[in-house]
Amino acid sequence: MRKSFIVVVLVFTIVVVKLAYYTKPSHPEFPNATITPSELNFSPDSIGKHYYRQLSEAFAVEEIDNTFPDLGKPVLSIKANNTVVAVFAYPNASSATSAINNAIKKLKLTREKGMIYEGPDGEYLVFVQFIDMGYSLFVAKGPRRELEAIEFYTAIVGPSPWKILHFFTPLGSEWSERKLEEKFWLAKKGLKLSGYMDSLEGAYKNVSVALFVYRPREAQEVYSKLVKAFKESGWEVEDITLPSDFGRNPAGHLVNFTLLSWGNKVVYIELAGFPSGYRIAILYGDDDKWFDVAKELW
């Protein structure tokens, strides 16, 4: 009786193991999840205060009612000398780009020179820029000379998420031959990221690449959630050591990295710090190709 029971148990175990083997997906499964930071470290008020301080140093400034109600609720609405100014704040590049396109359309503007536009009722200064870890849409209407003076005091050239992706990441550079072939692939595999400031997706040397720029604290959280999601989906963490000269960049530094594998496929997740945000990189490809592409991030 005991022997018969043992035989039954062994047969059952073999059947279960075989079923598990044959039902396991033949290709690596990505987490079916949306990864987002629990809270955005974004302060619209600080953007408005920044412009107020700048303009009050050189112009007679007074707060006024919103002159451009069709554009939404501004974080700052003032009159600087004879020019009316409204500033609108956005958490990411895509919403800011949509906002400036909407402003140009609603105000019926045509570009005259640089950031100066001609409208049916006068001249405007309109631009978007990254400032205080957020994006601002700056809209001003007034005399041409004042608009040019205000542009001088407010438009700045400095770090930005766009520069992280297209200036300090060789693969994203618009001036380099090492350029990503445009391809939106990550969401198609079931994994979505949100809350980022800017992003770039594509393919290079048969490796899929996705880059996201977050504010530092948000990036740390998203990185940890990504690694956890892949591990819970069955991917195994590989113990690797990167070369000592890896991750060197005049503008950034390597913060953390994880390599996960499933069969002959790997996912490399990297966290890198820059002055205007932290870059999260996700590489997906064959285990003998990912490192050559990872080097091109620097």
Side-chain angles (χ1 to χ4, degrees), residues 39-79:
E39 183 180 359
L40 294 183
N41 187 26
F42 163 64
S43 174
D45 288 342
S46 70
I47 292 176
K49 290 176 181 177
H50 173 92
Y51 283 109
Y52 187 91
R53 287 194 301 269
Q54 278 188 313
L55 292 173
S56 61
E57 290 176 359
F59 302 88
V61 172
E62 61 174 312
E63 294 188 19
I64 60 172
D65 292 334
N66 182 18
T67 310
F68 312 105
D70 290 345
L71 304 185
K73 185 178 180 180
V75 293
L76 180 67
S77 182
I78 61 173
K79 188 173 184 180

Side-chain angles (χ1 to χ4, degrees), residues 158-187:
S160 73
W162 186 91
K163 288 180 180 176
I164 293 175
L165 296 175
H166 299 282
F167 196 79
F168 297 116
T169 304
L171 283 183
S173 174
E174 297 184 355
W175 306 277
S176 172
E177 294 180 359
R178 299 175 294 178
K179 189 178 297 184
L180 285 176
E181 173 191 348
E182 187 173 343
K183 173 187 175 184
F184 295 97
W185 62 276
L186 194 61

Side-chain angles (χ1 to χ4, degrees), residues 196-218:
Y196 52 85
M197 294 187 290
D198 211 343
S199 67
L200 181 66
E201 284 186 65
Y204 184 72
K205 293 183 178 179
N206 295 318
V207 173
S208 297
V209 180
L211 307 172
F212 301 88
V213 180
Y214 285 87
R215 298 165 189 87
R217 187 166 58 191
E218 299 159 13

Side-chain angles (χ1 to χ4, degrees), residues 10 52 70 81 88 133 150 205 219 254 282:
L10 287 173
Y52 187 91
D70 290 345
N81 286 3
F88 305 85
M133 286 296 171
I150 288 174
K205 293 183 178 179
L254 182 64
I282 304 172

Side-chain angles (χ1 to χ4, degrees), residues 211-227:
L211 307 172
F212 301 88
V213 180
Y214 285 87
R215 298 165 189 87
R217 187 166 58 191
E218 299 159 13
Q220 297 273 6
E221 180 184 357
V222 170
Y223 172 83
S224 297
K225 286 182 175 180
L226 272 171
V227 173

Side-chain angles (χ1 to χ4, degrees), residues 10-250:
L10 287 173
V11 171
F12 178 78
T13 302
I14 292 171
V15 171
V16 169
V17 170
K18 285 189 174 181
L19 282 174
Y21 175 81
Y22 286 112
T23 56
K24 183 178 180 178
S26 59
H27 57 87
E29 295 286 344
F30 269 51
N32 185 13
T34 298
I35 308 295
T36 185
S38 55
E39 183 180 359
L40 294 183
N41 187 26
F42 163 64
S43 174
D45 288 342
S46 70
I47 292 176
K49 290 176 181 177
H50 173 92
Y51 283 109
Y52 187 91
R53 287 194 301 269
Q54 278 188 313
L55 292 173
S56 61
E57 290 176 359
F59 302 88
V61 172
E62 61 174 312
E63 294 188 19
I64 60 172
D65 292 334
N66 182 18
T67 310
F68 312 105
D70 290 345
L71 304 185
K73 185 178 180 180
V75 293
L76 180 67
S77 182
I78 61 173
K79 188 173 184 180
N81 286 3
N82 299 303
T83 299
V84 293
V85 175
V87 176
F88 305 85
Y90 305 92
N92 53 53
S94 58
S95 57
T97 299
S98 177
I100 191 171
N101 291 336
N102 178 63
I104 290 170
K105 181 179 179 180
K106 288 199 170 185
L107 297 174
K108 300 178 181 178
L109 305 179
T110 56
R111 189 187 294 271
E112 186 177 324
K113 182 182 179 182
M115 300 176 183
I116 302 295
Y117 290 77
E118 184 71 38
D121 56 347
E123 291 184 306
Y124 289 75
L125 171 65
V126 183
F127 61 88
V128 164
Q129 71 178 2
F130 180 75
I131 198 162
D132 286 358
M133 286 296 171
Y135 290 83
S136 61
L137 168 62
F138 189 98
V139 181
K141 178 179 178 294
R144 178 63 173 268
R145 287 190 176 182
E146 280 192 8
L147 292 178
E148 292 174 343
I150 288 174
E151 178 183 353
F152 176 80
Y153 273 91
T154 56
I156 60 174
V157 177
S160 73
W162 186 91
K163 288 180 180 176
I164 293 175
L165 296 175
H166 299 282
F167 196 79
F168 297 116
T169 304
L171 283 183
S173 174
E174 297 184 355
W175 306 277
S176 172
E177 294 180 359
R178 299 175 294 178
K179 189 178 297 184
L180 285 176
E181 173 191 348
E182 187 173 343
K183 173 187 175 184
F184 295 97
W185 62 276
L186 194 61
K188 293 178 181 179
K189 297 189 75 64
L191 179 60
K192 299 178 182 179
L193 272 66
S194 67
Y196 52 85
M197 294 187 290
D198 211 343
S199 67
L200 181 66
E201 284 186 65
Y204 184 72
K205 293 183 178 179
N206 295 318
V207 173
S208 297
V209 180
L211 307 172
F212 301 88
V213 180
Y214 285 87
R215 298 165 189 87
R217 187 166 58 191
E218 299 159 13
Q220 297 273 6
E221 180 184 357
V222 170
Y223 172 83
S224 297
K225 286 182 175 180
L226 272 171
V227 173
K228 181 181 178 182
F230 274 97
K231 289 168 65 176
E232 290 178 346
S233 295
W235 291 75
E236 296 183 357
V237 176
E238 295 290 325
D239 185 17
I240 62 165
T241 301
L242 295 176
S244 59
D245 61 346
F246 185 87
R248 291 185 179 180
N249 189 302

